[in-house]
Amino acid sequence: MAKAGEGRLTTHVLDTATGKPAAGLSISLYRVSGTSHRKLKTVTTNADGRCDAPLLAGAEFKTGQYELIFFAGDYLRASGSAYPDPMFLDQVPIRFGMAEETHYHVPLLISPYGYSTYRGS
């Protein structure tokens, strides 16, 4: 088990339709408490589909409930492909809990008509 202050949250996004990392995809992180959502930050994935730094780490990391919103529609529309309006998937929310001060990795596998997530390592 990690020591106090060693928790961190990371993510990455893979585009399963192209078989490549989803570069340039915006992600917002919220802390959730009851019906309250407090936005902590918005980041954009790099060329590897990852964030340049952990979303939360060190003193910023706190156990609790969080939500990541992946702006998949913006990313997909920027690819130049034609999609219906409204798109089947636009914003993809993933709500999850972090109960321990350890590494939580929440990846997203995305395509225009489906997505998957899991607790990674």
Side-chain angles (χ1 to χ4, degrees):
M1 182 178 279
K3 296 178 189 170
E6 292 185 6
R8 65 189 166 112
L9 171 63
T10 58
T11 188
H12 76 275
V13 186
L14 299 174
D15 183 333
T16 58
T18 65
K20 297 179 181 177
L25 191 143
S26 292
I27 305 165
S28 289
L29 172 66
Y30 293 83
R31 178 152 172 101
V32 179
S33 180
T35 59
S36 169
H37 281 63
R38 184 169 53 93
K39 187 177 189 179
L40 301 178
K41 62 179 63 175
T42 298
V43 298
T44 302
T45 57
N46 61 25
D48 196 33
R50 298 178 183 275
C51 302
D52 290 330
L55 296 169
L56 295 174
E60 269 189 320
F61 184 94
K62 293 178 178 42
T63 59
Q65 192 169 40
Y66 291 85
E67 187 169 83
L68 287 168
I69 298 182
F70 296 85
F71 293 88
D74 293 343
Y75 162 79
L76 292 166
R77 281 187 288 274
S79 73
S81 296
Y83 293 103
D85 186 23
M87 290 184 69
F88 181 70
L89 292 177
D90 193 5
Q91 295 179 13
V92 176
I94 299 174
R95 186 175 293 186
F96 57 97
M98 299 189 301
E100 304 173 78
E101 288 206 21
T102 190
H103 182 200
Y104 286 83
H105 185 65
V106 183
L108 180 69
L109 307 176
I110 189 76
S111 76
Y113 297 97
Y115 68 92
S116 178
T117 191
Y118 54 94
R119 180 172 176 190
S121 57

